[in-house]
Amino acid sequence: MIIRAGTVVTMDGPPIENGAVAVSGGRITNVGKFSDISATNSGEQIVDLGEQALLPGLINAHCHLDYTCLRGKIPPPKSFTEWIRAINAEKANLSPEDYIRSINDGFAEAKRFGTTTLANLTGFPELVSRIQPSIRMWWFAELIDVREPSRANEIVDAALEKLKSTERWGLAPHAPFSASAKLYRRCEEIARSEDVPLTTHLAESREEMSMFRDARGPLYEFLKEIGRDMSDCGQRTPLGHFSEILRDSSTSVGMTQNWLVAHLNELVDDDFDLLARSITKFSIVHCPRSHEYFGHSPFQFDKLCEHGFNVCLGTDSLASNDDLSLFAEMRAFQKEFPNVSPEEVLKMVTVNGARALRQETVLGKIRSGFLADLVAVPCARSTSAFEEIVAFDRPVSWSMIGGQVQNSA
Ligand SMILES: [Zn+2]
């Protein structure tokens, strides 16, 4: 099949005017000018998308489809701890069937907005075998042992059993305040032996900073109340704590490349010294609209990039966001960082997302040999293609995942 479009935005060189992409067996086999591609692939079926921009499918590097059904249920909270209490109260009313519906609705919505790959954290790995994802999906088991830290290894191993049958998976110790050092180390051990990605929430809120650095504040009080051992508080920042628990690991030399760290909003000077010294430059996911909903401290995008970290974007869950559109996420990011070019912003949901999932040789670009995950959006070529793509605010008109057309033009 040959797909022709007014502009092909490859993310692998400048956009190609009157371009085309040849696809066969789920992969991209050729990309270039339509005249060249049609001459070398004569006899192939041609799909002409007209005056549209064809681009790589978008990659959402952090979301929780479990909570798609919680859209609009929790108003922006006064404190992060208040939000945790509110979502726990909502979760008490949900059944496994509700979660399955929620996840399936999430696939449909993400796809409508041009997302073809998702890094999804689920609290219910036991439901994964009952779900057929219609999108390229990484299932991360979200792991929490705050009420039973003695069972850390057991909790990780049970989740592992449920995920191993899926094609793409990873592990997600929830956060240093809800997952023990032992649980983090077990996850890292498994990630090394199974060669899978890891993700976690880190330094998200001011309350997490007060808890770890100063041993006080609402999150500290809340966790103490439910019986967490708080002896690891009052010494280090959340990032300092994270790097310390991994450094202690007998199998670890520090933070590995496997980590996809969500948020990292609360960082002090010492943290930046630590990041500058860190040999491994892990990936960081920023969730602009969830960040705004919570009113976290400004995200230190420029400094993190200067230190060589790979920054990508995610939507987080609909318990702290309005929808699963990465186009809206790109615009929210632009509002925060007007000096970053639209091309750089688009990279964060294509090339950088692929790198975060360690798929940079098959996803995130339109290049021969890459997986045929493509989306199209109208492009009048009145301004730059990148500007038009970032400004796009409707469902995509056409998309393809693994060579299969999903939405028709
Ligand atoms: Zn999250």
Side-chain angles (χ1 to χ4, degrees):
M1 181 194 287
I2 296 172
I3 306 142
R4 186 215 157 262
T7 309
V8 176
V9 177
T10 63
M11 302 312 285
D12 190 29
I16 304 166
E17 297 302 317
N18 196 12
V21 179
V23 169
S24 173
R27 298 221 173 219
I28 295 161
T29 53
N30 211 345
V31 53
K33 285 275 183 200
F34 175 65
S35 50
D36 298 338
I37 301 294
S38 55
T40 49
N41 297 270
S42 61
E44 287 280 334
Q45 179 203 350
I46 295 173
V47 176
D48 191 346
L49 296 174
E51 287 312 298
Q52 303 211 57
L54 186 65
L55 58 143
L58 307 184
I59 300 172
N60 186 343
H62 184 83
C63 67
H64 308 251
L65 298 186
D66 293 352
Y67 309 131
T68 305
C69 63
L70 296 185
R71 179 182 352 235
K73 294 261 198 254
I74 308 173
K78 280 190 207 70
S79 84
F80 185 69
T81 310
E82 187 187 295
W83 183 84
I84 292 179
R85 287 183 196 271
I87 193 169
N88 284 344
E90 292 288 345
K91 279 160 73 175
N93 300 319
L94 298 176
S95 68
E97 274 59 42
D98 291 328
Y99 286 119
I100 290 175
R101 203 173 318 119
S102 219
I103 293 168
N104 284 323
D105 288 350
F107 293 146
E109 178 165 330
K111 214 155 79 168
R112 232 175 15 252
F113 289 120
T115 299
T116 54
T117 294
L118 275 168
N120 183 51
L121 285 71
T122 179
F124 309 94
E126 63 275 19
L127 300 180
V128 170
S129 63
R130 296 173 56 190
I131 297 168
Q132 290 295 326
S134 59
I135 211 164
R136 202 177 292 284
M137 184 79 166
W138 262 264
W139 292 104
F140 287 89
E142 186 167 73
L143 303 164
I144 293 177
D145 66 346
V146 69
R147 290 174 195 270
E148 40 188 358
S150 62
R151 290 187 55 232
N153 289 357
E154 215 181 303
I155 290 170
V156 178
D157 296 352
L160 185 66
E161 272 316 298
K162 290 163 194 150
L163 284 183
K164 265 189 151 174
S165 59
T166 63
E167 208 180 328
R168 295 173 286 267
W169 60 277
L171 297 171
H174 173 256
F177 58 80
S178 53
S180 66
K182 193 171 158 196
L183 189 144
Y184 270 92
R185 289 177 197 139
R186 180 74 181 157
C187 287
E188 190 154 271
E189 237 173 72
I190 291 166
R192 281 164 185 271
S193 65
E194 302 282 336
D195 194 28
V196 295
L198 294 165
T199 192
T200 193
H201 298 88
L202 187 65
E204 180 174 4
S205 66
R206 292 182 191 87
E207 287 157 67
E208 185 180 339
M209 178 61 88
S210 316
M211 167 179 158
F212 278 107
R213 189 185 53 189
D214 313 322
R216 61 184 165 82
L219 189 62
Y220 180 88
E221 294 304 329
F222 168 64
L223 290 162
K224 194 174 154 193
E225 194 183 298
I226 65 168
R228 184 187 185 276
D229 174 4
M230 305 306 273
S231 61
D232 56 356
C233 299
Q235 301 153 52
R236 297 180 183 85
T237 63
L239 179 72
H241 175 77
F242 174 69
S243 79
E244 195 59 32
I245 58 181
L246 295 180
R247 201 185 347 266
D248 277 349
S249 165
S250 57
T251 57
S252 170
V253 289
M255 295 167 275
T256 64
Q257 210 72 49
N258 299 35
W259 285 101
L260 175 47
V261 174
H263 309 309
L264 224 53
N265 298 316
E266 304 296 329
L267 297 169
V268 298
D269 289 348
D270 283 356
D271 290 326
F272 280 103
D273 292 343
L274 190 63
L275 290 171
R277 285 199 312 274
S278 171
I279 305 158
T280 48
K281 304 296 181 184
F282 51 83
S283 293
I284 297 162
V285 196
H286 179 48
C287 302
R289 289 185 295 166
S290 175
H291 182 277
E292 194 186 345
Y293 164 94
F294 284 111
H296 296 312
S297 299
F299 180 64
Q300 301 289 323
F301 176 72
D302 296 323
K303 274 185 159 178
L304 292 168
C305 290
E306 265 167 45
H307 285 302
F309 290 86
N310 176 48
V311 181
C312 41
L313 297 183
T315 57
D316 220 339
S317 85
L318 296 194
S320 60
N321 199 353
D322 302 328
D323 61 47
L324 296 169
S325 166
L326 285 169
F327 292 100
E329 226 54 71
M330 287 193 277
R331 282 192 294 282
F333 179 85
Q334 264 192 327
K335 229 171 75 188
E336 271 181 280
F337 302 98
N339 295 331
V340 180
S341 73
E343 182 176 359
E344 285 302 312
V345 179
L346 186 59
K347 260 191 193 168
M348 296 170 81
V349 294
T350 52
V351 179
N352 297 5
R355 191 174 146 202
L357 287 166
R358 300 184 305 154
Q359 301 295 312
E360 62 270 41
T361 57
V362 285
L363 288 176
K365 290 180 183 177
I366 301 182
R367 181 192 275 188
S368 182
F370 275 45
L371 294 164
D373 290 8
L374 305 165
V375 300
V377 305
C379 185
R381 289 192 273 177
S382 50
T383 54
S384 90
F386 295 110
E387 249 172 77
E388 284 194 58
I389 291 166
V390 173
F392 181 71
D393 66 354
R394 276 166 295 146
V396 296
S397 53
W398 185 93
S399 69
M400 171 179 264
I401 300 177
Q404 302 291 319
V405 176
Q406 309 286 312
N407 302 325
S408 304

